């Protein structure tokens, strides 16, 4: 079932944890999730060691998209920031990300340089500019199964009511999913669903952000069809890494920490070493001749 079809199904919403590379995406798939979200913020955190301030480039994201889609089979939802420029850039972004394997592409109405959706100091582009980007994205995609997600960051800039006017306009422009970033209460979250009148809506769960943290099922009861936890894995990994490094520095060895670690065999099992060796054997001349 495609991601587009899944969003129309009754029951719990699709929950997509945030990945930042092929390994994190693989672990998300192995944990049984239906989709994975490529978080621009998490790429900045892990691969640049920097905050989410628009520092990640188009080529960088395109490369990560290709690496993830070569490794996992579940749908990849890609955070494409502002589309990396104007409507022409948006069209190229959609074409390249879709070709590299993305099944949903999220665009936002921030001005550049953009910021994390839960940071202050953002700016938003004129509504008509964003509508043009939505149209460009829809025209550029090769398959109707590739979802275009339109995000507005206007709550923090213009207030809730103007943000909803933008969200409705993006839905009317043809966006497959609408994402109103950083609602501040469950009442606002319910208004998003009511005002969109059936257009699938996405919820973003950010620990320490502006939006109340709710479970997937609770968000589904409100009416959200897609839920992302974009930076949660990074925020879980940081204290684990810090704890390990403190122990390693204090003890000078991993011996005292190894029960909390995955050993070499465990890593290889997760990343498919035996399967790859078996596949390689199929193409070795002596192995092929023996099989014949």
């Amino acid at each position: 079932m495609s991601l587009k079809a899944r969003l129309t199904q009754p029951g719990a919403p699709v929950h997509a944890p945030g990945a930042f590379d092929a390994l994190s995406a693989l672990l998300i798939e192995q944990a049984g999730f239906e989709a994975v979200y490529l978080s621009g913020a998490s790429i900045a955190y892990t691969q640049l060691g920097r905050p989410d301030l628009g520092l990640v480039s188009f080529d960088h994201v395109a490369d990560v998209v290709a690496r993830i889609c070569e490794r996992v089979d579940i749908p990849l939802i890609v955070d494409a920031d502002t589309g990396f420029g104007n409507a022409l850039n948006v069209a190229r972004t959609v074409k390249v990300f879709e070709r590299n394997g993305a099944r949903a592409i999220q665009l936002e109405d921030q001005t550049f340089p953009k910021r994390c959706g839960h940071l202050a100091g953002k700016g938003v582009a004129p509504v008509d500019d964003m509508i043009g980007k939505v149209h460009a994205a829809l025209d550029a995609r090769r398959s109707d199964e590739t979802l275009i997600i339109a995000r507005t960051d206007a709550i923090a800039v213009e207030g809730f009511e103007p943000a909803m006017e933008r969200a409705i306009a993006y839905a009317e422009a043809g966006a497959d999913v609408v994402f109103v970033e950083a609602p501040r209460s469950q009442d606002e979250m319910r208004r998003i669903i009511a005002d969109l009148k059936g257009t699938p809506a996405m919820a973003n769960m950010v620990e320490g952000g502006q939006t109340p943290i709710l479970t997937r099922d609770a968000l589904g009861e409100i009416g959200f069809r897609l839920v992302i936890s974009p930076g949660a894995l990074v925020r879980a990994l940081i204290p684990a890494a810090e704890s390990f490094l403190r122990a390693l520095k204090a003890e000078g060895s991993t011996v005292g920490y190894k029960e909390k670690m995955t050993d070499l065999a465990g890593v290889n099992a997760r990343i498919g070493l035996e399967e790859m060796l078996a596949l390689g054997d199929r193409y070795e001349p002596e192995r092929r001749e023996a099989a014949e």
Side-chain angles (χ1 to χ4, degrees):
M1 181 185 299
S2 69
L3 180 60
K4 182 177 183 178
R6 172 64 179 83
L7 293 183
T8 68
Q9 299 299 303
V14 174
H15 190 185
F20 45 86
D21 60 12
L23 176 60
S24 56
L26 179 63
L27 293 174
I28 289 166
E29 180 179 58
Q30 291 174 344
F33 286 92
E34 294 180 81
V36 58
Y37 180 84
L38 178 55
S39 162
S42 290
I43 293 174
Y45 300 156
T46 61
Q47 298 182 30
L48 302 182
R50 296 292 185 182
D52 183 19
L53 296 174
L55 301 175
V56 180
S57 69
F58 163 80
D59 288 331
H60 192 162
V61 179
D63 181 63
V64 179
V65 170
R67 291 172 187 270
I68 289 174
C69 291
E70 185 270 332
R71 189 62 186 93
V72 305
D73 295 322
I74 57 175
L76 178 67
I77 303 162
V78 180
D79 175 6
D81 289 345
T82 63
F84 303 97
N86 62 16
L88 293 176
N89 298 101
V90 165
R92 178 169 181 258
T93 295
V94 169
K95 288 179 181 179
V96 173
F97 287 7
E98 182 183 40
R99 185 179 68 226
N100 286 3
R103 292 294 167 261
I105 299 165
Q106 173 195 307
L107 302 164
E108 64 195 46
D109 60 5
Q110 283 197 52
T111 54
F112 191 83
K114 57 90 64 189
R115 295 189 177 204
C116 169
H118 290 257
L119 291 179
K122 298 182 291 184
V124 289
V127 175
D128 288 344
D129 287 0
M130 182 62 179
I131 290 174
K133 288 186 175 185
V134 172
H135 288 158
L138 295 170
D139 289 344
R141 66 182 177 183
R142 297 187 64 183
S143 170
D144 289 344
E145 295 295 321
T146 301
L147 302 179
I148 301 302
I149 302 173
R151 160 178 156 177
T152 180
D153 285 77
I155 289 179
V157 181
E158 301 175 339
F160 184 77
E161 296 300 333
M164 287 313 306
E165 291 175 5
R166 286 172 173 265
I168 293 166
Y170 303 160
E172 291 175 346
D176 299 293
V177 179
V178 173
F179 173 17
V180 181
E181 176 65 297
R184 296 157 295 192
S185 68
Q186 292 189 42
D187 286 342
E188 288 187 351
M189 297 166 83
R190 292 187 180 92
R191 271 284 308 279
I192 290 169
I193 301 303
D195 287 3
L196 287 176
K197 301 183 186 303
T199 298
M202 185 167 93
N204 181 16
M205 296 290 96
V206 177
E207 299 77 16
Q210 302 298 315
T211 303
I213 298 290
L214 303 176
T215 66
R216 174 187 61 244
D217 290 343
L219 290 165
E221 289 173 3
I222 290 173
F224 290 96
R225 298 307 306 146
L226 179 58
V227 177
I228 59 171
S229 300
L233 183 56
V234 175
R235 284 187 275 276
L237 290 174
I238 287 173
E242 290 175 338
S243 174
F244 165 74
L245 292 169
R246 283 194 298 270
L248 181 61
K249 188 172 189 302
E251 299 173 18
S253 166
T254 60
V255 171
Y257 207 87
K258 66 180 182 179
E259 295 304 319
K260 300 179 182 179
M261 299 172 65
T262 302
D263 65 10
L264 180 60
V267 173
N268 285 331
R270 287 166 174 80
I271 62 178
L273 172 64
E274 292 301 321
E275 293 86 344
M276 289 206 76
L277 290 176
L279 180 62
D281 285 347
R282 290 173 53 188
Y283 305 109
E284 293 291 336
E286 63 274 14
R287 309 269 186 181
R288 190 169 62 248
E289 291 169 4
E292 293 172 352

